Amino acid sequence: MKHVSGRPVRLGPRSVAALVLVSFIGIIAFCWPLFADADSAVTSHAGDAPWLFAALLPLLVAVVIATIADCGMDAKAVAMLGVLAAVGAALRPLGAGTAGLEPMFFLMVLSGRVLGPGFGFVLGAVTMFASALLTGGVGPWMPFQMLSMGWFTMGAGLLPGPRRLRGRGELLMLSAYGFVAAFAYGTVMNLQGWVLLQGLSSGISFEPGAPLHENLVRFLAYVVATSLGWDLGRAALTVVLTLTIGSTLLKALRRATRRANFEAQVTFEGAERAAPGEPPHRTYVTYERK
């Protein structure tokens, strides 16, 4: 009898292709105003948000379908994804608006670690969508938040050592990632809001058509002046929660994934029919987790 264990949700070729496509579209959506001419009809994200949202939903479905097709998972895995998204959405109002303390980021880090990058990306995006509906935070920023949270959660699923690294070392790695990624999330979202600040004639506002390096300097000043402290609160809370209760939650998530959809599949080898008068041939049972 053989037991083969692996990452609960691995990336296959179709999953990689879907994630690359949605990430490519997301990067274009965030960055295109930096390269637009000053006399362009539209140089902000206010007008492109509905189009981005319309493109994002089918792409999220495509990532889920590709991941299921690559890994052979069933509906119970999708149900677990929905439960985690609901929990994350419920956590967001507990801290949002208070010095950047947002406990949902801690859950996204651990969930991405357990579910892997494909389902992690979908979980982050769906969680942000559900929380926006719950808190009334629907606006032109919502599809950009969905993309940013998807990347945030996917990054946790791409961290090394998914099979062997456990215990204190894993928690320290997840804490370090959560700290850095919390700032990265805030910086990416600042890019979406910053391009709306045009024509203010200040040293930190976006200037359509200005050279790229000048706008990047303005953007850096904008980040330092407006959101660095907010991102620090988010990063610190993520680290504290990961180090204190991360081990317990990781065990619970891994146990839930095994029960939901990652049970070992049974195959029979060597089950040949014995000739009349001979004892039955030995049958080997192989347990394999795909």
Side-chain angles (χ1 to χ4, degrees):
M1 183 172 62
K2 181 177 64 173
H3 178 77
V4 181
S5 62
R7 178 193 289 274
V9 185
R10 62 179 177 82
L11 278 181
R14 286 166 288 199
S15 306
V16 172
L19 286 173
V20 168
L21 177 59
V22 68
S23 296
F24 177 73
I25 293 176
I27 291 172
I28 292 176
F30 271 101
C31 297
W32 75 264
L34 295 175
F35 302 95
D37 296 331
D39 56 353
S40 297
V42 179
T43 55
S44 74
H45 290 312
D48 61 357
W51 299 103
L52 177 60
F53 182 70
L56 185 57
L57 290 183
L59 288 173
L60 290 176
V61 175
V63 174
V64 174
I65 294 175
T67 305
I68 291 175
D70 286 335
C71 303
M73 296 179 298
D74 56 23
K76 290 183 289 185
V78 181
M80 180 179 175
L81 188 71
V83 171
L84 288 174
V87 174
L91 284 176
R92 191 183 181 199
L94 298 181
T98 308
L101 303 179
E102 297 176 277
M104 68 173 293
F105 283 80
F106 145 76
L107 177 64
M108 294 298 103
V109 170
L110 301 187
S111 299
R113 174 66 171 176
V114 173
L115 293 176
F119 261 35
F121 180 88
V122 178
L123 173 62
V126 172
T127 301
M128 189 57 71
F129 175 68
S131 68
L133 297 180
L134 182 64
T135 60
V138 178
W141 55 83
M142 186 181 68
F144 297 94
Q145 287 180 326
M146 292 171 63
L147 278 169
S148 300
M149 186 57 72
W151 289 329
F152 179 91
T153 313
M154 180 179 69
L158 292 172
L159 293 174
R163 303 179 186 179
R164 297 177 299 274
L165 184 59
R166 294 290 187 271
R168 192 69 176 177
E170 183 179 34
L171 291 179
L172 290 175
M173 181 185 68
L174 292 176
S175 298
Y177 170 79
F179 185 85
V180 174
F183 283 97
Y185 172 87
T187 301
V188 170
M189 281 307 303
N190 280 332
L191 184 59
Q192 179 270 330
W194 174 67
V195 298
L196 300 177
L197 301 177
Q198 310 177 28
L200 300 182
S201 300
S202 67
I204 64 173
S205 63
F206 172 59
E207 291 293 335
L212 178 61
H213 68 278
E214 292 184 7
N215 266 329
L216 289 180
V217 171
R218 292 171 178 269
F219 176 65
L220 180 61
Y222 171 80
V223 170
V224 174
T226 62
S227 68
L228 201 60
W230 184 278
D231 294 338
L232 179 60
R234 178 193 301 122
L237 181 63
T238 301
V239 170
V240 170
L241 292 178
T242 300
L243 292 178
T244 53
I245 61 176
S247 178
T248 302
L249 186 54
L250 279 174
K251 292 177 182 178
L253 288 172
R254 285 173 171 141
R255 184 165 54 248
T257 56
R258 287 195 296 268
R259 292 179 178 177
N261 110 96
F262 310 95
E263 295 292 343
Q265 298 188 7
V266 180
T267 59
F268 295 89
E269 300 175 356
E272 300 178 358
R273 184 182 299 275
E278 293 184 2
H281 291 298
R282 184 172 306 217
T283 300
Y284 295 93
V285 182
T286 301
Y287 295 87
E288 181 178 2
R289 180 172 299 154
K290 297 183 178 180

